Amino acid sequence: MSINIRTRGQVRGGVAEVKSLIRHPMESGARMDQSTGKPFPMKLITNVDVSVNGNRVVDAQWSANISTNPYMHVNVAANSGDEVTINLVDNTGETGSETFTLR
C-alpha cells in the first residue's frame, strides 16, 4: 500500500507555491486502542523530499508531532513547465510519490 498524495502548484514571479494533502494516519504509538488496551502501532512519515526538475530543494525529517492526513505547503524557485516530484517514506517502509508539471 502506498501513501496517497494530492498536489497542486502555481507559479508567480519565479516562485512556485506547492500545496499537498497527504493521506496517512501519522500514528505516534502513544494512543491506546480502547478495545484491546494496547497502543496503536507507530506509523509515521519520516522523510519528505521535494525536487524540481530532478534537483532536491526540500529534504525534511518529520516526527510524531505532525497531524493525521497532513497538509504541506512549500515555496520553491521554479518556472512554468518545471516538473515537481514529492517523495515520502514512513517508518514501516511504505512510500508515496507524486510528480506533476507546474503551469
Side-chain angles (χ1 to χ4, degrees):
M1 182 176 200
S2 66
I3 301 169
N4 184 298
I5 310 168
R6 287 186 10 212
T7 303
R8 294 183 189 183
Q10 183 175 10
V11 178
R12 288 188 188 138
V15 176
E17 181 179 44
V18 178
K19 300 176 181 180
S20 299
L21 287 173
I22 304 162
R23 188 171 183 94
H24 193 278
M26 296 299 289
E27 187 59 62
S28 70
R31 198 168 59 99
M32 294 297 222
D33 182 341
Q34 293 187 359
S35 64
T36 66
K38 296 181 180 180
F40 288 102
M42 182 182 287
K43 187 163 178 67
L44 304 169
I45 294 172
T46 55
N47 296 84
V48 179
D49 292 324
V50 180
S51 299
V52 177
N53 294 328
N55 298 313
R56 183 180 292 157
V57 294
V58 175
D59 181 12
Q61 286 72 48
W62 283 2
S63 68
N65 295 323
I66 306 294
S67 69
T68 299
N69 300 325
Y71 168 78
M72 181 177 73
H73 177 177
V74 296
N75 291 326
V76 297
N79 296 301
S80 292
D82 286 351
E83 187 175 86
V84 175
T85 301
I86 299 172
N87 291 304
L88 307 171
V89 179
D90 76 9
N91 66 307
T92 66
E94 191 172 319
T95 62
S97 184
E98 174 82 6
T99 299
F100 65 98
T101 302
L102 292 167
R103 294 184 190 176

